[in-house]
Amino acid sequence: MATARERDEWAHAPFDTAAVERLRSLISGFDANQRIWLSGYLAGSSASAAAAAHPAPGAAQRAAITILYGSQSGNSERMARLLHDKLKEHQIESALLDMIDCRKSHLQEAQKLLVIVSTHGDGEPPERALSLHELLRGPKITRLDHLTYCVLALGDSSYEKFCEAGRQFDARLEALGAKRLRPREECDVEYEMPARRWIDDVLTLVGTQPGADTLPRISESESRIATISTAYTRRNPFQAPILLNQRLTGRKSSKDVRHVELSLEDSHIRYEPGDAIGIVPKNREDAVDALLEASRFDAETPVRADSQTIGLRQALLDYFEIGPVTPTFMQRYTAAIGSPVPAQAGESPDAMRRYLYGRHLVDVVREYPPAALNPADFAQLLRPLAPRLYSIASSQRTASDEAHLTVSVVEYESLSARRHGVVSSRLANLAMDGASVPIYLHRNGGFRLPADPRTPIVMVGPGTGVAPFRAFLAEREAVGAGGRNWLFFGDRNFESDFLYQSEWIDARKRGTLTRIDVAFSRDQSDKIYVQDRLRANGAELWAWLQDGAHIYLCGDAERMAPDVHATLLEIARMHGALTDEQAAEYMADMQSARRYQKDVY
Amino acid sequence: MDADPPILPRLRPLDEQHSNERLKHDSRFLRGTLQQSLADPVTGAVTASDGLLTKFFGIYQQDDRDLRDERRRAKLEPRYQFMVRVRLPGGVCTPAQWLALDALARAYAGNTLRLTTRQTFQFHGIAKRHLRKHIQGINAAGLDTIAACGDDNRNVICTANPTQSPAHAEVSSLARRISERLMPRTGAYREVFLGAAPPSTPLADEEPLYGSTYLPRKFKVALAIPPQNDIDVFAHDLGFIAILENGSIAGYDVCVGGGMGMTHKISTTFPRLSELIGFCTPEEVLEIAEHSMCIQRDYGDRVDRAHARFKYTIEDRGARWFCDELAARRGRPLQAARPYRFESSADRPGWLQSEDGRWHYTLFVENGRLSDLPGRSLLSGLRAIAGVHRGVFAMTTNQNVIVAGIADADRPAIEALLQAHGIANETGVSALRQNSMACVALPTCGLAMAEAERYLPSLLDKLDEIIAAAGLRDQPITIRMSGCPNGCPRPYLAEIALVGKALGRYNLYLGASACGDRLNALYRENIAEPQILDELGTLIRRYAAEREPGERFGDFTIRASVVPAMIAGRDFQR
């Protein structure tokens, strides 16, 4: 008979019930050694399956020799290409990589790194080298001791910080444990001859190294022996360290949206595009204290919360919603304190809604003090504090032990008070130095990429709704899926609210993103939304649907989803020559065929 | 057996030329994929090739460099924005045109106008989606932006203020005619920006003068009226110096092969003074301008753009060769050059009355920047003046503006407006500051290595102290700061020049003449502010103590052997 904990562990396992039963009964019969052997076997075979699944386009990442160049005016790039060609003459394959394209995975999978970098201005790395410069200094890269490397630095001795960028890269790689093939070479303005001599030197060093093998290096997390992971839950969350908390919205934006990268290292959490991360919430201390003051309740009064008895303050911090108020609460609270429902609210459900708009618990309590009401009874009237779910904006194929989130920092004013989102405001203030967030995986089986990678997909994701589509595209690109991809994105202002803009532009350039259409509502006098773009491209959209495309919606449930749905019906009527009824049936069929999926909140 | 004549650089196979040449050739006379680029809402930029083509329409793609790093980390593309420069031959516009440009600056360009070092207006910060409307607004005012940038004949400049004298009016009119004669003819501008329909059959040769590859690089024409060399005539590819006899223009001395730009440390690049090659009558000016440009079109380097300016063509082949080539194309040689005398390359701030009794007010605009600051509303003040002024506005090449052709009876109203907006020339301003110039540099110019416009004023605050202590507050000394060695603010003709090398670091040049006929020379390399103040402080104090009566600072530094006299450009970077 499974214990509650065991049930919890398997609750989120990616197997159907029958398979779970078979597995549990099998495994319960194994001893510790057998389990360890089995987990190693599974880890190894899944790693080679993953390696086999990676097609040729990824191969450039895995060449044993990587020529990494950081060029400002083309000189370093030219030398890099020269080196590449010379190696080729000697039948040695190498990958040419511009620093601006260099990711953590390139460094993890490289074996020999030949770095050519110029120094710009007074000691500055070239602009295209900045992101790598920061990556090497950030929390994501801790060891590179599998690497051997050498650096060719170009510079101008009339500057004090001669070849500074080259020196910094050289020193940093050494500090990360990489081994030098030869000492750094520095070149002045007349760099041609010394650079060529360095190239010849490197040729000799690299050519004589035994067995330049080209096997992909299995990443750290896969080679570690995988145990049957304890499934993390809301009650038992995983403390995920924050690797990055980067503001995505521009300076003048009316919003604050963050790109948050969480480390899943050692959690063994495996997720799929479409899944979400649940963050275990905690109310703000200042909000709880304000409520306590307004109610005059004793903070230490024992109350029941989540089948425990704890102090009221603790309960309000961790277990109850204390923000926006529901009609049900108004009814029951006013009844409990023997007060009539406020006149303006009582007239109709609409009136009640208007009354409650922007009103928080603390406002109600101030206006209608609980007086003789028992704190424990008061607590019973409150809704339980719900975890906040965030669609995962990454694919584990490219960010293997990370989960990325797109979080809008909720902050607004109502009734002359500043209000804050429970989780987002806490996240907003967390820096990257050791802070962590309590999380668990929330599977979202109803929001999945098509099984067939050649199926076209249409993604409608205004605002933070774009998050899972970042995961979709990363996944599709990593596995070399051939299917066409079309993204509709919308927000307020082009200049400051185009979330992940540079990534979409790159994806479009590479061909991964077949089409992207955008709508920025506040950039012109009339408001333009994603549904307007859908409508304007109705004929093409209909053609995609005829080709079997899946449509995905992610984002606001209240207005966006119904508006988009109405537009889809309109498109079906107009371009499919369908009646109202037929169009509705068409969309319903799409839904049951799992070709029309929504993740709305 | 005679060898075949060498093929003109322009006519060599395109694959042997710089890749920009093929780009121009294939662009269907500058159309490229501009329509698509402008229509793409996903990026605020146009494609790289289209970005080269827009320059021919005075449109220059830039990005806010202050925000580059921040936006890169935020996964946003750079904040792309466009600079638009007006074609304004002779630098003259009407009050109605001023008002139109003011309105456009407020609508699309961040509430500021920039007066350039070549007598025209520049707008910055225009979003791609507003670009067409902006250009249309300029054209609706009867102006355009054609050939304000790019490999073509740029804005034709002349000694400022057409209303100053009949000679000034004549030269101004000539500047306009030269500009029109040498303008690109392609219909692309109207099609892309003004909504004109393309011709039903593509025209075979829309550019009878330029051809499909236009010029190797920019070409700058300037006309000067001695004794004023406010335009720095020797800094331009082609210069015409008016020769006055008995108060009217007998003709023009012609000089060729000047240019400011260079690349640090590449000694085959250098600023160069143009050379005097002869004299022509007023009727001959247009044909000479056309032939000169065509000679450069044919012979200029099409492989190495850093060697493609007319000055290198002249330097390499010689002025003699050019004279022969010009004579061959015209059918006759130039006459012998006639004497002239330049006194100064500076503007004269304040009120001036011409012989016909009209008034002209030269307003000192520091770095040409027109905006509204607390207590000094240059943009709104000039807008107010434009609302009542019945003359013209004449921009100078020192980034100032002349409210020109004011009737005596109208002068009090103009003065009142100057006072009301706090924009009348301040009395305390040092002559050093009045003779200062800086290019825009950061945050918008993609070529800038160091600050210029944003830094020179505060450096001048410190230099003013030194100047005042030395008793030199009213002594004109030209000082120019350039963010990079391209030299847009003509630094190499200033008595003191600071040319950017890296953020906070400049080369210091000294010793040019006060009337623009001698270059300066490198004095210190790669120095920061403390050393700048130290070096200049020492020299200024020496100058105060040792100068001869009436001696200019630039001349003093030569006499005191601080720097050598620099005339030949080729010696500049040796």
Side-chain angles (χ1 to χ4, degrees), chain A residues 53-101:
Chain A
H54 286 254
Q61 279 174 239
R62 291 164 170 78
I65 300 178
T66 303
I67 303 172
L68 185 57
Y69 63 91
S71 199
Q72 183 72 25
S73 48
N75 297 323
S76 293
E77 182 175 348
R78 202 162 61 80
M79 288 298 114
R81 288 188 187 281
L82 187 61
L83 174 57
H84 177 77
D85 291 341
K86 290 231 160 181
L87 283 168
K88 212 166 187 179
E89 280 171 35
H90 288 73
Q91 270 90 48
I92 301 175
E93 280 297 326
S94 64
L96 205 46
L97 185 59
D98 186 335
M99 282 187 181
I100 205 175
D101 295 322

Side-chain angles (χ1 to χ4, degrees), chain B residues 163-233:
Chain B
T163 58
Q164 192 174 313
S165 76
H168 282 77
E170 192 181 318
V171 167
S172 182
S173 160
L174 188 54
R176 208 164 48 247
R177 279 153 49 218
I178 295 174
S179 178
E180 280 156 22
R181 175 83 164 241
L182 300 183
M183 254 173 79
R185 299 274 182 261
T186 175
Y189 185 66
R190 299 189 56 76
E191 282 166 40
V192 174
F193 293 100
L194 305 180
S200 45
T201 43
L203 300 169
D205 189 8
E206 277 182 274
E207 297 287 9
L209 210 55
Y210 282 99
S212 66
T213 53
Y214 295 82
L215 300 181
R217 280 198 65 192
K218 63 183 90 162
F219 193 79
K220 296 184 175 179
V221 181
L223 299 101
I225 306 175
Q228 279 176 281
N229 188 19
D230 53 333
I231 57 155
D232 273 332
V233 70

